[in-house]
Amino acid sequence: MNKILVINGPNLNLLGTREPEIYGSTTLDDINKMLKVQADKLGVKIDFIQSNIEGEIVTAIQNARAVYDFILLNAAAFTHYSVAIRDAISAIDVPVIEIHLSNVHAREEFRHHSVIAPVVLGQISGFGVDSYIAALDIAVRKIRGDIK
């Protein structure tokens, strides 16, 4: 069975209460449950990690080698400055999709640049929870060879 790892970065554990006008009222646990239901429908195994610690995210990415077929990554604030996460992605052969709940390009200037964007397969942002669902769908279609 194909396996997908979802990695969520700093402050995403506060979803549902943190700036609901930007991120909505859905919690990270709600998102994980929705993804689990969708993964079951699609016939793939899905695991979840959330960390506020950059090194833990780097380790999770490194440990994904030979275990996972795809990574869905919301690096949150680390998106904009973590060369360590970028280098970890570059060092493995597991494809990664970058995810954001909000449209980072419509927000503060510092959020417009992603240091990880050049080393991921693609980026999905601005669709709230549906950013995650879309990323999962694309990952499964890529795994199955339905899209290039």
Side-chain angles (χ1 to χ4, degrees):
M1 179 178 279
N2 294 110
K3 294 175 72 174
I4 296 172
L5 177 62
V6 180
I7 302 174
N8 283 287
N11 298 310
L12 291 169
N13 55 308
L14 300 178
L15 285 177
T17 59
R18 174 185 175 225
E19 299 177 278
E21 67 280 3
I22 295 172
Y23 300 108
S25 59
T26 305
T27 67
L28 185 58
D29 190 50
D30 294 335
I31 292 171
N32 291 346
K33 287 176 183 171
M34 286 185 248
L35 287 171
K36 174 74 169 105
V37 168
Q38 187 66 12
D40 288 347
K41 287 179 186 174
L42 295 170
V44 296
K45 184 174 180 349
I46 193 163
D47 292 320
F48 305 96
I49 294 172
Q50 187 280 323
S51 180
N52 296 319
I53 302 169
E54 183 180 30
E56 289 180 0
I57 294 171
V58 168
T59 298
I61 292 167
Q62 292 175 355
N63 290 342
R65 294 177 298 171
V67 176
Y68 291 97
D69 300 291
F70 237 98
I71 297 172
L72 309 182
L73 172 63
N74 185 342
F78 292 140
T79 299
H80 314 293
Y81 67 87
S82 180
V83 174
I85 291 174
R86 176 196 167 106
D87 289 350
I89 294 167
S90 293
I92 65 169
D93 60 356
V94 179
V96 177
I97 296 175
E98 178 182 344
I99 303 168
H100 300 284
L101 292 160
S102 67
N103 179 352
V104 293
H105 304 286
R107 296 187 59 200
E108 302 93 341
E109 181 69 30
F110 71 89
R111 296 185 196 276
H112 297 185
H113 180 71
S114 166
V115 297
I116 65 174
V119 296
V120 299
L121 184 64
Q123 180 188 79
I124 301 172
S125 68
F127 297 100
V129 174
D130 287 328
S131 293
Y132 284 85
I133 299 296
L136 176 60
D137 181 57
I138 290 167
V140 170
R141 291 172 59 208
K142 293 287 285 179
I143 289 167
R144 294 184 177 154
D146 296 341
I147 56 175
K148 291 188 179 207

